[in-house]
Amino acid sequence: MLGRNQVSDKDLLKAVNQRLMRAGASSQSRVTATVHKGMVTLTGTLQYAIQRDPILKAVQSVPGIGRIVDQLVLREKKPQQ
């Protein structure tokens, strides 16, 4: 049962996904968010390291987030032959 000021995980996930879309996370990288008891886990692959901060800031701006677990990985570039 949720307290008076708590937001459900379903509502948090919806808000997080909206922020990720606005931040361009879905078009530039493959980022997936899951929410469990207010904790957001971000998984996926980033094309560039510079993409990480805007994604994390976008998620942090969602009211009701308790913690963010960053499991994003940087895509390895293949050596040019």
Side-chain angles (χ1 to χ4, degrees), residues 1-55:
M1 196 163 171
L2 295 175
R4 200 175 265 191
N5 293 325
Q6 288 185 320
V7 181
S8 73
D9 287 346
K10 181 180 176 181
D11 290 338
L12 282 175
L13 181 60
K14 182 177 177 181
V16 166
N17 284 331
Q18 288 174 343
R19 297 286 170 98
L20 288 173
M21 286 178 59
R22 287 185 201 147
S26 58
S27 63
Q28 299 174 359
S29 56
R30 294 184 181 134
V31 177
T32 303
T34 57
V35 179
H36 181 69
K37 295 184 180 180
M39 180 177 70
V40 177
T41 302
L42 297 173
T43 56
T45 306
L46 301 177
Q47 188 171 359
Y48 304 104
I50 198 167
Q51 294 171 305
R52 186 179 307 270
D53 282 344
I55 289 170

